[in-house]
Amino acid sequence: MVMKVIPLQVRSAARAAAPRFVGGPLADTRGRTMRDLRISVTDRCNFRCTYCMPREVFDAGYKFLPHDAILSFEEIARLARIFVGLGVEKIRLTGGEPLVRRDVDRLISMLQALKVEVTLTTNGSLLAKQAGKLARAGLNRVTVSLDSLDDATFRAMNDADFPVAKVIQGIEAASAAGLAPVKINMVVKRGVNDAGILDMAERWRGSGHIVRFIEFMDVGSTNGWRMDDVVPSAEVVRRISERWKLEPVGANYAGEVAGRWRYVDGGGEIGVISSVTQAFCSTCNRMRLSTEGSLYTCLFAQSGHDLKSLLRGGASDEEIRNEIAAVWQLRDDRYSEIRTSQTSSAKKVEMSYIGG
Ligand code: SAM
């Protein structure tokens, strides 16, 4: 995939414009600090979720990144160490589907040595097989995407004819391997799977796992997003609360993406991720590293900052550190706060490439 990446000369000018980083928490132009790093380890996926990698676009002719274009585990680990030196406390591996990349457990053990929390987001299809070795490698937690418990709806949404039962086996294997509580992500699309909100809540109530209902977002440029398809989180909370009363719970930490709600009867908690109706840009602490080594400060970005040519061009850790610091310090995006029907149709980077 050819993405717009800011070339070196422009970036150097940006670096010159950024205040010199002298240590301490790294803040951007809106006072946000960098705490969380998402790393996309592959742009490939074995699902073709209609809202993420529609088959009409990501078909047999689609050009995924060749192997030599993607960062090696050693390159990722080196960058991760530099990020940790800049204040990153949590690393999430994602994609594409991270578990289709061979030996991801080896990368996890390399990242675990940095003494930060290491998590992974997966569609769960390969989790039953891999959960044990991921946990042994030091994975701290896992998030599994599961959009419906109704087999026909799920198979249609993943567009790979993949059954619900196998994802549930993956969740159970992760739990047995010590990765509980598992977070279970359901992207809610009106008229597609919203009829299954209560089933999903009921299935995981009392299990210790946490379902998170995600508003369908206008990421990328291929998923045909329309505001009418979004089910606002407030409606999700209302629909569940009418059945089992919910009450809000405070965030676990500043910048937490999901709003937390708990069942008054002690049945556990759910989360809602409301990027569309209640933007959380003002507390965003996330940096994203794409599969081919470009930095993105926003999920809805139109361009990234190339780090790979620094890495492969012999730059020192300090040069790379200064580059990353400059990108963060100059950050001023707040896409979800200024979203309109015009911005939603702009050419944006695909989520499978940048990492969800
Ligand atoms: N393949 C992995 C998975 O399925 O979890 C990781 C990558 S996937 C892009 C990460 C998350 O982004 C998934 O939970 C997916 O459902 C969510 N996602 C993808 N496109 C989305 C969209 N348009 N709106 C909301 N969430 C989306």
Side-chain angles (χ1 to χ4, degrees), residues 38 42 44-47 49-53 93-99 120-124 143-147 184-188 212 214-220 223 225 273 275-276 299-300 350-353 355-356:
R38 306 228 166 159
T42 176
R44 293 164 199 254
C45 187
N46 53 346
F47 282 13
C49 298
T50 48
Y51 56 79
C52 186
M53 294 181 77
L93 300 183
T94 175
E97 169 49 43
L99 298 185
L120 176 133
T121 301
T122 172
N123 61 26
T143 298
V144 179
S145 305
L146 177 60
D147 294 328
I184 298 156
N185 279 356
M186 170 178 179
V187 175
V188 185
R212 298 167 346 145
I214 306 181
E215 289 178 350
F216 172 44
M217 297 185 285
D218 52 333
V219 285
N223 71 6
W225 183 87
I273 301 181
S275 161
V276 179
L299 188 52
F300 303 93
E350 293 300 327
M351 199 163 177
S352 52
Y353 165 84

Side-chain angles (χ1 to χ4, degrees), residues 5 9 17 83 120 126 178 209 215 221 223 246 254 267 270 276 280 282 295 317 350-351:
V5 170
Q9 319 74 290
F83 274 104
L120 176 133
L126 301 169
H209 304 314
E215 289 178 350
S221 321
N223 71 6
L246 288 166
I270 62 154
V276 179
F280 38 81
S282 65
L295 279 184
D317 283 4
E350 293 300 327
M351 199 163 177

Side-chain angles (χ1 to χ4, degrees), residues 11-299:
R11 215 189 44 233
S12 304
R15 194 162 58 226
R20 213 170 82 81
F21 177 64
V22 288
L26 188 61
D28 74 0
T29 60
R30 299 182 186 277
R32 299 171 290 195
T33 48
M34 185 174 75
R35 291 268 178 259
D36 197 339
L37 175 65
R38 306 228 166 159
I39 302 174
S40 173
V41 296
T42 176
D43 59 339
R44 293 164 199 254
C45 187
N46 53 346
F47 282 13
R48 284 292 175 274
C49 298
T50 48
Y51 56 79
C52 186
M53 294 181 77
R55 198 172 277 285
E56 313 79 79
V57 178
F58 295 88
D59 59 8
Y62 186 82
K63 291 216 173 354
F64 290 99
L65 293 167
H67 193 70
D68 59 354
I70 72 177
L71 296 188
S72 67
F73 289 165
E74 286 68 24
E75 287 171 325
I76 292 175
R78 179 180 174 204
L79 288 179
R81 186 169 38 75
I82 297 171
F83 274 104
V84 170
L86 284 166
V88 161
E89 295 169 356
K90 183 170 142 195
I91 295 177
R92 174 174 298 281
L93 300 183
T94 175
E97 169 49 43
L99 298 185
V100 302
R101 182 151 175 191
R102 194 175 301 167
D103 301 331
V104 165
D105 55 306
R106 191 167 73 80
L107 175 63
I108 289 170
S109 55
M110 291 161 89
L111 298 176
Q112 198 40 247
L114 302 173
K115 308 277 175 251
V116 290
E117 189 182 0
V118 181
T119 66
L120 176 133
T121 301
T122 172
N123 61 26
S125 59
L126 301 169
L127 193 54
K129 234 186 254 162
Q130 298 194 27
K133 70 175 177 179
L134 295 172
R136 283 191 296 280
L139 187 68
N140 296 111
R141 281 191 302 101
V142 70
T143 298
V144 179
S145 305
L146 177 60
D147 294 328
S148 180
L149 292 169
D150 176 74
D151 209 48
T153 307
F154 183 59
R155 285 177 194 254
M157 284 182 86
N158 65 52
D159 204 11
D161 205 26
F162 200 86
V164 171
K166 283 205 171 158
V167 179
I168 293 185
Q169 278 169 19
I171 294 171
E172 284 165 355
S175 186
L179 297 172
V182 177
K183 289 189 177 148
I184 298 156
N185 279 356
M186 170 178 179
V187 175
V188 185
K189 244 187 121 174
R190 193 176 298 284
V192 176
N193 62 342
D194 63 321
I197 291 172
L198 288 187
D199 287 350
M200 188 65 83
E202 182 167 32
R203 173 66 177 79
W204 304 108
R205 248 173 67 80
S207 69
H209 304 314
I210 301 169
V211 188
R212 298 167 346 145
F213 299 90
I214 306 181
E215 289 178 350
F216 172 44
M217 297 185 285
D218 52 333
V219 285
S221 321
T222 58
N223 71 6
W225 183 87
R226 294 177 322 136
M227 188 64 205
D228 289 352
D229 296 333
V230 177
V231 179
S233 292
E235 181 182 328
V236 172
V237 169
R238 180 179 52 72
R239 281 161 68 171
I240 297 174
S241 205
E242 280 168 5
R243 177 79 180 274
W244 303 283
K245 196 163 170 34
L246 288 166
E247 63 185 10
V249 192
N252 283 311
Y253 51 87
E256 188 171 26
V257 173
R260 297 172 63 208
W261 293 79
R262 89 176 137 226
Y263 296 107
V264 171
D265 67 4
E269 70 177 73
I270 62 154
V272 286
I273 301 181
S274 326
S275 161
V276 179
T277 62
Q278 293 164 52
F280 38 81
C281 304
S282 65
T283 56
C284 179
N285 54 17
R286 285 172 289 288
M287 183 73 110
R288 293 167 191 275
L289 179 64
S290 78
T291 316
E292 58 175 339
S294 291
L295 279 184
Y296 291 83
T297 54
C298 180
L299 188 52

Side-chain angles (χ1 to χ4, degrees), residues 18-22 26-29 322 324-331:
R20 213 170 82 81
F21 177 64
V22 288
L26 188 61
D28 74 0
T29 60
N322 289 342
I324 296 169
V327 168
W328 188 269
Q329 284 172 310
L330 292 174
R331 174 180 188 198

